[in-house]
Amino acid sequence: MEFTPVIGLEVHAQLKTRTKIFCGCSTAFGAPPNTHTCPVCLGMPGVLPVLNKKVVDYTIKMALATHCAVQPESRFARKNYFYPDLPKGYQISQYELPIATNGYLDIEVEGRSLRIGITRIHMEEDAGKLIHDPDRPISRVDLNRTGTPLMEIVSEPDIRSPEAAGEYLRRLRAILRYLDISDGNMEEGSFRCDANISIMPEGSTVFGTRTEVKNLNSFKHVEKALYYEIARQKEILLDGGQVAQETRLWQPDKGQTVSMRGKEDAHDYRYFPDPDLLPLVVDDAWVDRMRAQMPELPAQRQARYIADYGLSSADAKVLTGSRELSDYFEACLTEFDQPKTVANWIMGDLLGLLNAKGVEIENTPVSPENLAGLLKLLDADVISGKIAKTVFEAMAATGQPAKTIVAEKGLVQVSDTSAIDPVVDAVIAGHPNEADRYRGGQKKLMGFFVGQVMKQTRGKANPKVVNEILRKKLG
Ligand code: ADP
Ligand code: MG
Ligand code: ZN
């Protein structure tokens, strides 16, 4: 019996504002514990929260990017629960009336386009952090993070495979980064995902009971945890059992999920509108202002690369995968206007280098100017394709421009026949057997002779010229 997975994701993105959502405390990361706090984010009695307008700006932008309807009026609510990292005893969030609803995100999985519905986007505050002492049975509380603005993006249960879940998350994160409203870093916790998953018999339209998986801190782990849950739930159902609706914890080191708690229901939280905050009114003018500030998004860039540069859809997708990579590509083009050549070098040599070194494009040792400089030399036949690879490696190691490396190492391509002639003569004289066989009809040996000449000239001879001379001399 085959089953179809049904997946819905809840994503929390930390917003890149300078100050917290309801007070003026800094959101800067890494300060000594409890130094970025004030009576508001410490939850002292009698204080009043004041909404940070930037948080609304950013959320509107995300809503527009995901085709959501921005609600003219939304509300903040109190979600009540007790935990030591939540001094107020409630989290301010949006509940019944979120700021944005009913959008979608198009993703591509194995060449197929899928539309994933977005149920809602809302704003809320983050809680503090507990630091557990590894040696003693005590925990400490750091409230610097308390009140950091979060945006929660809830998807419809439209996702049908772990790969699609990964792709949805990558796309969402790319959009956040293009909009420059979140770092979107899963490892550092500025982009968090809870995955809801159930399975149903293939062909069915009735969803099964879901579990919610927490503690997923990389894209890899999201996919692994989903695979694990699919297998676990399948086994239960095939055994005639029932999946329990519960929250489960992913244990990355063990590669399994374990039960954390029964699923809490909304009524457990005693949600009610926060009496300290006015309803949030967003008029058309505000939305229009944000729309005017929207940058080009990944999907639009991808379409432009295909239309204007003649790139394949797959290549355009790779290049627009992150804003940084896409900006890099465009920076190269301002200096060297051959999109396909630039694209090939970025996707081949550059990404190969970065992957091998485990470095992000932001920290590339080869600047766009230097890559473009290299391609100019290659295009002008100053260096050969083979030498270009050597120069690329030297640029990666030293950060120097191609021109300097070529000049210092004497790598300029030799096209002058009078310099190549004697080398060709020597190679032919040194290989009389091969020369006879070539003359006898084994034309494939041309490659051998070219190789020998290139070797003798340490790759500097212009292969085109070498070919011509060889053909002449071998008759
Ligand atoms: P809660 O707030 O209790 O977590 P929601 O109704 O907000 O519940 O749903 C949370 C997520 O669970 C959403 O992303 C939704 O798409 C997903 N979801 C709902 N039902 C199912 C199901 N049967 N299987 C998988 N995911 C589901
Ligand atoms: Mg949930
Ligand atoms: Zn504060």
Side-chain angles (χ1 to χ4, degrees):
M1 189 165 173
E2 288 304 314
F3 291 91
T4 304
V6 173
I7 300 165
L9 301 175
E10 294 166 86
V11 167
H12 286 93
Q14 192 176 312
L15 295 173
K16 260 169 89 170
T17 54
R18 210 172 43 78
T19 56
K20 294 184 180 181
I21 183 168
F22 297 120
C23 64
C25 291
S26 164
T27 53
F29 186 78
N34 301 306
T35 53
H36 290 169
T37 54
C38 74
V40 173
C41 55
L42 289 175
M44 301 288 182
V47 297
L48 287 174
V50 178
L51 179 60
N52 181 342
K53 196 160 156 289
K54 269 270 176 313
V55 174
V56 184
D57 286 351
Y58 288 2
T59 312
I60 293 173
K61 284 185 180 175
M62 191 60 186
L64 292 173
T66 51
H67 315 277
C68 283
V70 178
Q71 295 305 318
E73 189 172 316
S74 65
R75 254 186 184 285
F76 285 96
R78 294 185 178 180
K79 180 182 183 179
N80 300 280
Y81 65 92
F82 172 79
Y83 207 64
D85 65 5
L86 189 73
K88 290 199 301 293
Y90 61 88
Q91 177 195 26
I92 304 178
S93 179
Q94 292 194 303
Y95 177 59
E96 279 166 311
L97 298 172
I99 184 166
T101 55
N102 207 18
Y104 64 83
L105 189 64
D106 288 330
I107 60 170
E108 232 177 82
V109 182
E110 284 163 4
R112 280 184 52 220
S113 182
L114 302 173
R115 178 159 292 184
I116 310 301
I118 290 181
T119 316
R120 54 186 279 154
I121 302 180
H122 70 248
M123 300 167 277
E124 61 185 30
E125 58 178 349
D126 206 348
K129 220 186 213 159
L130 294 184
I131 299 153
H132 306 292
D133 194 309
D135 306 316
R136 285 182 294 164
I138 58 167
S139 294
R140 295 183 172 81
V141 187
D142 178 5
L143 297 177
N144 282 348
R145 203 179 66 182
T146 311
T148 297
L150 300 178
M151 186 167 66
E152 178 168 346
I153 305 155
V154 182
S155 89
E156 288 289 303
D158 287 347
I159 301 167
R160 293 289 175 270
S161 71
E163 291 78 17
E167 193 50 34
Y168 168 83
L169 291 173
R170 272 185 278 274
R171 244 300 136 83
L172 213 55
R173 186 179 64 159
I175 292 174
L176 290 166
R177 289 187 175 174
Y178 270 73
L179 291 171
D180 199 22
I181 59 176
S182 172
D183 290 333
N185 191 320
M186 261 190 131
E187 285 82 3
E188 287 173 12
S190 58
F191 185 85
R192 293 169 237 161
C193 166
D194 299 336
N196 295 268
I197 172 147
S198 62
I199 59 172
M200 59 182 177
E202 212 172 61
S204 168
T205 50
V206 184
F207 293 171
T209 305
R210 71 180 146 127
T211 58
E212 178 171 347
V213 185
K214 290 185 179 289
N215 194 38
L216 303 168
N217 46 28
S218 76
F219 290 108
K220 264 245 140 51
H221 284 303
V222 172
E223 294 187 27
K224 278 191 187 168
L226 288 172
Y227 272 118
Y228 179 87
E229 267 306 288
I230 292 168
R232 190 187 67 85
Q233 294 184 11
K234 198 168 157 180
E235 203 176 303
I236 293 173
L237 294 185
L238 290 176
D239 271 359
Q242 279 185 325
V243 174
Q245 177 157 344
E246 61 184 0
T247 302
R248 297 181 68 87
L249 184 80
W250 170 245
Q251 298 181 315
D253 42 333
K254 298 206 177 108
Q256 65 180 29
T257 65
V258 291
S259 180
M260 242 173 111
R261 56 174 186 252
K263 175 94 187 95
E264 64 284 353
D265 282 318
H267 63 247
D268 295 329
Y269 289 118
R270 301 291 190 273
Y271 278 101
F272 64 89
D274 192 312
D276 289 342
L277 286 154
L278 288 167
L280 172 63
V281 175
V282 176
D283 58 11
D284 290 345
W286 193 345
V287 177
D288 289 343
R289 230 169 28 247
M290 292 306 113
R291 191 176 283 121
Q293 291 177 16
M294 295 287 280
E296 190 181 32
L297 293 170
Q300 296 162 308
R301 270 203 188 181
Q302 193 180 336
R304 180 164 63 82
Y305 287 5
I306 296 167
D308 294 1
Y309 301 149
L311 297 185
S312 71
S313 167
D315 289 357
K317 190 179 169 196
V318 172
L319 291 171
T320 54
S322 81
R323 182 177 182 164
E324 289 75 15
L325 187 63
S326 182
D327 287 347
Y328 183 99
F329 172 64
E330 296 191 7
C332 289
L333 289 188
T334 61
E335 312 233 342
F336 183 74
D337 194 19
Q338 295 188 20
K340 280 190 187 174
T341 307
V342 173
N344 287 338
W345 274 81
I346 289 179
M347 291 186 301
D349 299 80
L350 183 70
L351 289 185
L353 171 85
L354 298 180
N355 281 341
K357 288 188 157 200
V359 170
E360 298 288 324
I361 184 76
E362 297 90 290
N363 303 314
T364 173
V366 180
S367 67
E369 296 71 31
N370 283 356
L371 180 58
L374 174 69
L375 299 183
K376 276 187 216 164
L377 295 179
L378 183 59
D379 190 51
D381 264 347
V382 175
I383 54 172
S384 67
K386 195 165 172 259
I387 291 291
K389 304 278 174 188
T390 313
V391 176
F392 181 83
E393 277 164 28
M395 289 199 302
T398 65
Q400 283 183 315
K403 244 189 191 145
T404 312
I405 292 165
V406 168
E408 278 180 7
K409 298 198 171 175
L411 297 173
V412 174
Q413 173 161 264
V414 179
S415 302
D416 179 1
T417 32
S418 66
I420 300 174
D421 260 340
V423 184
V424 170
D425 289 337
V427 165
I428 293 175
H431 299 88
N433 284 343
E434 285 82 357
D436 283 347
R437 278 160 56 205
Y438 178 87
R439 292 189 177 109
Q442 289 190 34
K443 300 294 176 200
K444 268 199 209 148
L445 281 165
M446 179 56 87
F448 165 78
F449 283 107
V450 174
Q452 289 298 313
V453 176
M454 294 309 286
K455 202 168 148 193
Q456 298 289 321
T457 57
R458 283 183 292 127
K460 285 192 289 183
N462 181 336
K464 239 188 286 167
V465 178
V466 173
N467 257 291
E468 276 164 27
I469 299 177
L470 273 166
R471 219 171 291 131
K472 227 184 295 160
K473 296 203 184 235
L474 286 169

